[in-house]
Amino acid sequence: MPTSLIQPEFRVEIDYNKCHKCGRCVQQCGWGVYSFNERPYPDDSKCRACHRCVTYCPAHCITIKKNDLALRDNANWSPELRKNVWRQAESGGVMLTGMGNDKPYLKIFDHLVLDACQVTNPSIDPLREPMELRTYLGRKPDSVEVEANGEGGYRLKPGSGVENNVKLDTPLIFAPMSYGSVSLNVHKSLAMAAERLGILMNTGEGGLHADLYPYGNNVIVQVASGRFGVSPEYLNRGAAIEIKIGQGAKPGIGGHLPGEKINKEVSTTRMIPQGTDAISPAPHHDIYSIEDLRQLIYSLKEASGYKPVGVKIAAVHNVGAIASGVVRAGADYVYLDGFTGGTGAAPAIIRDHVGIPIEIAIAVVDQRLREEGIRNQASIIAAGSIRSSADMAKAIALGADVVAIGSATLMALGCHLCQGCHTGCCSWGLTTQKPELTRRLDPEWGAERLTNLVHAWSHELQEILGALGVNAVESLRGSRERLRAVGLDKQTCDILGVKPAGL
Amino acid sequence: MTVTKPTGGPVEGYACVEPATVREGDTVTMDVKGVYYRQVNAAVRAAFADGATKVVLNNVNGQRYIGTGVRGKNLSIEVHGTPGQDMAMLMDGPTIEVFGNAQDGVGNTMNAGKVVIHGDAGDVLGYGMRGGKLFIKGDVGYRVGIHMKAFEELRPIVVCGGKARDFFGEYMAGGLLVLLGMSKDAERPLVGGYLGTGMHGGTIYVRGEVESWQCGNEVGVTAATETDLAELSPVLAEYCADLGMDLKEVLSKPFTKLAPLSHRPYGKLYTNL
Ligand code: SF4
Ligand code: SF4
């Protein structure tokens, strides 16, 4: 009797003529693919195509191929659906997965194009002209009062209500990923890069490790239902506080860090005993209404000396009304997370089928807050698979103030999107707590790569602004007239507030 | 009394004014009648920052967040009246004594310190509480002790003198949760359903019996033994001393003990993809 009906996803091929028999592939693989007996022997069934061995093989003799084992074509039953039935028939469990939704849904960003200047409205050369990317996160007053600055110009009057805003040198921050789901070296890389870039990283719901205390001014501290690591000290360390209600990859689903990932350091940072499951249920048991949310927002403000408090919600149906409630509850920003957002672990069925695209959510929330006259009361952060500076520009044109990136940061650190984060075996040392793996990431190296990435995207954003003929990212925000749709139906265009190309 | 905003507050009947305060030695007494919560809490923090160790709040009527986020041992707050929601949230050290009833959210995510309530209290008491003590003389509402935790030397203790509603100790991850059921309301059941559902740490003691339908699948229910009572007695002695109750009477009935069957209640729910 076969033990499993599932055949390997990949084939690991080694050209033994070239192989040095050095054994490095055995060491590098976090998934235990290789055994060694005078030469390396791969066990295909364990390979996740993370390419760690391929990258570090000195002889470049490893090739990973898709296992093209033919399954009879069936347009109704994709090979993946068939395999899932076999998997669940074997295990009886809820299938967990890591990283973002990989299903071929329509990606709206890819059906939006940006406008550009032509003959009579000249573009701006970003290489010579100043381009303002600075953005302020937080509630803006209903009206501004200015006074003379004594040098012939003006400045905001003290007490104008923007003192609590957080300054961002570019409209991009690092998305919440908890210490526990990612390694401490990932957190260090993010914190160091955030400081150098003048932006923010976010603790996720895992507390703030003491090594990150010096970076407090560049950290958003998160409060979720499990309240892991949340203490007055923690709240006071951060530049802003975020209440996590929902996550794009798993709306309506809580977090669950399995006990085997709760080692000494993680347990200290989360302030829970070692080895117990860190269960963070979907609902905050003190929030069952907008009034309750308001109560939590203000208790966190009371406890932290009135720091900005944001609320993270997943993009779901009717998100405009939800965001309006969140803003009216006193949130300084609304973090919208779309359904292609990443995750350390989620039931695959939820990740792939629950939620709505971030593009739609940004447009309806921005629209709704404008209609209600409260758009100034909160910033909008958009996240959920922002893959390039073009996505960033389009998100801002749809109405976001700032975007957040998570998966892209991990890719900058080596991630190959093998979707095995939930196993804790990440060969790149990112989503694991195994010391032999986590030490693969040098925070200094990581910070440099993250800094490079954000610098590159910021330059590209400046190029885009120049092409559009504007010199500040503020001028792009919510400027949907500068977007056109290609291949979107009329209703989607109407919801996005974007005309089809040609009009 | 310094008036900061004489035209009133954001809520009808409450004004944004600093409360009238009198300082005698280390004690500051404030009349907070009609004063908006932000000014009350700012005044409490200012009094402590100014070296006072005790604050007495008179005419409290619904002001929220009393003691929230306040840090420091040997500080105390006396509340006369009915405090508002989320009292002692994220509190780290001080003692609060309430001569009256309290509302929802007392001790939410509290780190250390002690809250003593001489009356009844509402829902979601001690949610995510990590340390310190919460002693309530009367009845409590729903979702009490949900997700209580423990960490190193921090171990939260919640003792409820009266009866409780549903979800008592749900998802409890650590600490000690006690229900005495000594309520004036004889009709009400001792506790509702979903007792200890998803519990994966800590201990619950109930004075009296619970039925199996009331308990979550994740808890083991046994009669408390001599050893258990030996662990419980000092806590109850302190409780009785604080609230003027008779320890003998409290211990006169057998206790039921609820403990998690596993630290990993959902360990087998998932499979890798
Ligand atoms: S790392 Fe490359 S060269 Fe070294 S044993 Fe493995 S396959 Fe051979
Ligand atoms: S973080 Fe690691 S485990 Fe997760 S997808 Fe990337 S490479 Fe794979």
Side-chain angles (χ1 to χ4, degrees):
Chain A
M1 261 251 299
T3 54
S4 174
L5 301 181
I6 307 154
Q7 296 306 310
E9 202 90 357
F10 305 100
R11 287 254 171 253
V12 183
E13 289 175 7
I14 299 174
D15 182 346
Y16 290 113
N17 290 327
K18 290 188 187 159
C19 173
H20 301 176
K21 305 181 178 57
C22 64
R24 196 176 289 178
C25 48
V26 187
Q27 291 161 10
Q28 292 297 323
C29 184
W31 314 100
V33 167
Y34 295 94
S35 55
F36 199 87
N37 186 3
E38 288 179 11
R39 62 181 203 186
Y41 289 93
D43 173 356
D44 292 346
S45 68
K46 292 183 180 157
C47 178
R48 301 197 72 109
C50 77
H51 283 201
R52 181 80 191 184
C53 60
V54 176
T55 311
Y56 283 87
C57 168
H60 304 294
C61 64
I62 305 175
T63 318
I64 313 253
K65 291 188 175 148
K66 251 172 114 171
N67 187 3
D68 276 330
L69 201 61
L71 278 168
R72 181 176 286 276
D73 281 346
N74 187 315
N76 188 27
W77 283 92
S78 67
E80 191 193 352
L81 286 169
R82 279 175 260 184
K83 283 180 201 166
N84 287 351
V85 169
W86 294 329
R87 281 188 184 110
Q88 294 202 290
E90 273 170 30
S91 70
V94 172
M95 287 191 299
L96 273 189
T97 181
M99 298 314 286
N101 188 332
D102 53 15
K103 298 294 166 287
Y105 288 100
L106 175 78
K107 189 76 188 169
I108 295 174
F109 279 137
D110 294 341
H111 290 264
L112 292 174
V113 287
L114 288 149
D115 184 26
C117 294
Q118 292 307 313
V119 184
T120 53
N121 51 337
S123 45
I124 301 173
D125 179 359
L127 298 179
R128 273 188 280 120
E129 307 280 345
M131 284 283 167
E132 187 60 68
L133 295 189
R134 187 162 288 167
T135 305
Y136 289 86
L137 191 61
R139 169 176 292 243
K140 311 288 184 291
D142 291 337
S143 59
V144 282
E145 284 182 66
V146 290
E147 61 183 17
N149 69 356
E151 292 161 21
Y154 293 94
R155 65 173 169 227
L156 283 175
K157 257 195 175 162
S160 63
V162 293
E163 299 77 11
N164 273 343
N165 277 218
V166 184
K167 186 172 89 178
L168 298 172
D169 285 343
T170 192
L172 180 148
I173 61 173
F174 297 139
M177 293 180 279
S178 71
Y179 173 45
S181 74
V182 298
S183 73
L184 185 57
N185 283 346
V186 172
H187 257 208
K188 284 183 183 165
S189 305
L190 291 165
M192 284 158 66
E195 186 181 54
R196 288 175 205 174
L197 290 159
I199 60 168
L200 299 168
M201 63 91 72
N202 187 316
T203 59
E205 194 203 11
L208 182 70
H209 191 278
D211 287 1
L212 268 64
Y213 285 178
Y215 302 97
N217 289 338
N218 297 89
V219 173
I220 296 176
V221 292
Q222 206 182 55
V223 175
S225 70
R227 303 287 153 85
F228 295 119
V230 178
S231 66
E233 165 81 16
Y234 168 78
L235 298 178
N236 285 308
R237 290 276 176 191
I241 301 167
E242 178 171 296
I243 300 170
K244 177 202 164 179
I245 303 284
Q247 183 178 347
K250 42 180 180 178
I253 288 274
H256 179 173
L257 192 67
E260 56 269 329
K261 275 198 179 177
I262 315 288
N263 63 17
K264 180 84 186 77
E265 288 271 287
V266 173
S267 94
T268 308
T269 307
R270 293 201 172 212
M271 304 171 91
I272 51 169
Q274 246 174 288
T276 52
D277 281 356
I279 298 172
S280 163
H284 288 244
H285 291 295
D286 52 355
I287 305 178
Y288 282 85
S289 65
I290 286 293
E291 176 56 23
D292 286 352
L293 175 64
R294 183 177 179 84
Q295 184 176 310
L296 181 60
I297 290 173
Y298 278 89
S299 34
L300 294 174
K301 289 189 177 212
E302 273 291 329
S304 67
Y306 284 80
K307 288 207 165 137
V309 176
V311 175
K312 176 177 173 180
I313 54 173
V316 290
H317 165 64
N318 213 9
V319 66
I322 298 164
S324 158
V326 166
V327 175
R328 289 177 188 281
D332 295 271
Y333 70 81
V334 189
Y335 184 118
L336 298 169
D337 203 17
F339 92 142
T340 37
T343 174
I349 211 84
I350 298 282
R351 184 196 70 176
D352 296 346
H353 301 280
V354 182
I356 68 166
I358 185 60
E359 299 91 329
I360 301 276
I362 303 167
V364 299
V365 167
D366 178 62
Q367 188 65 29
R368 176 77 179 237
L369 298 183
R370 281 172 198 273
E371 280 165 12
E372 293 189 13
I374 53 172
R375 179 64 182 86
N376 63 302
Q377 291 183 14
S379 301
I380 297 176
I381 302 179
S385 192
I386 299 288
R387 304 155 302 166
S388 67
S389 55
D391 285 358
M392 169 159 77
K394 291 170 190 177
I396 292 169
L398 285 171
D401 293 76
V402 175
V403 300
I405 56 169
S407 304
T409 62
L410 293 182
M411 277 179 255
L413 301 176
C415 165
H416 278 54
L417 234 52
C418 76
Q419 301 183 315
C421 326
H422 60 296
T423 63
C425 297
C426 177
S427 298
W428 293 89
L430 307 174
T431 52
T432 174
Q433 301 304 326
K434 296 183 179 172
E436 69 276 19
L437 298 176
T438 58
R439 66 165 176 252
R440 292 180 176 180
L441 175 65
D442 169 20
E444 188 51 55
W445 178 87
E448 195 185 317
R449 292 178 63 92
L450 289 166
T451 311
N452 285 344
L453 177 75
V454 175
H455 275 154
W457 285 22
S458 301
H459 284 311
E460 286 175 346
L461 183 61
Q462 288 177 335
E463 296 279 355
I464 291 171
L465 293 177
L468 289 164
V470 296
N471 61 5
V473 73
E474 283 276 303
S475 313
L476 180 61
R477 176 163 23 88
S479 183
R480 300 179 204 187
E481 181 51 30
R482 313 309 299 275
L483 287 170
R484 286 294 182 275
V486 180
L488 292 178
D489 60 83
K490 178 167 187 316
Q491 214 162 13
T492 309
C493 288
D494 287 348
I495 291 169
L496 291 170
V498 170
K499 290 181 195 141
L503 287 185
Chain B
M1 188 155 104
T2 330
V3 178
T4 49
K5 255 195 202 168
T7 48
V11 177
E12 207 186 327
Y14 288 87
C16 293
V17 295
E18 281 171 28
T21 49
V22 180
R23 180 159 181 165
E24 277 169 47
D26 291 340
T27 304
V28 172
T29 307
M30 299 182 196
D31 183 358
V32 302
K33 188 179 166 97
V35 182
Y36 194 53
Y37 77 87
R38 281 181 70 167
Q39 280 66 33
V40 174
N41 293 321
V44 171
R45 277 196 294 268
F48 288 141
D50 209 27
T53 54
K54 181 172 179 178
V55 171
V56 179
L57 299 176
N58 288 321
N59 291 314
V60 174
N61 188 9
Q63 282 92 351
R64 293 178 170 186
Y65 317 127
I66 291 171
T68 284
V70 177
R71 289 195 267 179
K73 277 186 191 161
N74 309 321
L75 303 179
S76 67
I77 304 174
E78 225 175 68
V79 177
H80 297 269
T82 307
Q85 319 250 38
D86 273 350
M87 183 176 72
M89 182 174 177
L90 289 153
M91 190 171 81
D92 201 358
T95 298
I96 300 184
E97 191 162 12
V98 181
F99 297 92
N101 298 324
Q103 298 189 44
D104 304 342
V106 180
N108 191 336
T109 326
M110 180 170 139
N111 243 20
K114 182 164 162 181
V115 181
V116 178
I117 297 164
H118 288 265
D120 297 335
D123 301 339
V124 215
L125 310 174
Y127 170 30
M129 188 170 153
R130 192 180 293 117
K133 291 177 185 137
L134 183 49
F135 290 167
I136 302 127
K137 184 160 190 179
D139 293 336
V140 296
Y142 294 85
R143 292 178 264 139
V144 171
I146 281 197
H147 225 309
M148 263 175 36
K149 301 176 175 18
F151 174 62
E152 290 178 352
E153 74 286 1
L154 298 176
R155 177 171 176 255
I157 298 175
V158 176
V159 184
C160 308
K163 296 182 174 180
R165 305 274 184 176
D166 295 342
F167 308 109
F168 194 75
E170 193 190 33
Y171 284 121
M172 188 163 155
L176 177 65
L177 185 55
V178 186
L179 183 65
L180 301 178
M182 299 166 77
S183 173
K184 293 182 285 285
D185 186 352
E187 297 293 298
R188 240 174 89 172
L190 178 56
V191 62
Y194 307 98
L195 174 59
T197 302
M199 185 176 176
H200 52 290
T203 321
I204 301 176
Y205 288 104
V206 177
R207 183 173 173 273
E209 281 169 23
V210 290
E211 315 232 11
S212 61
W213 66 264
Q214 292 179 294
C215 307
N217 294 332
E218 296 80 16
V219 284
V221 184
T222 52
T225 62
E226 289 290 315
T227 333
D228 294 332
L229 288 177
E231 178 205 45
L232 193 54
S233 292
V235 173
L236 293 178
E238 185 181 340
Y239 174 86
C240 289
D242 285 343
L243 288 163
M245 289 173 63
D246 179 9
L247 179 63
K248 268 219 188 94
E249 197 198 334
V250 170
L251 290 171
S252 66
K253 238 178 136 177
F255 278 76
T256 304
K257 179 184 183 180
L258 291 94
L261 295 171
S262 155
H263 295 295
R264 311 278 322 274
Y266 303 115
K268 289 212 176 72
L269 185 61
Y270 301 109
T271 183
N272 286 344
L273 189 62

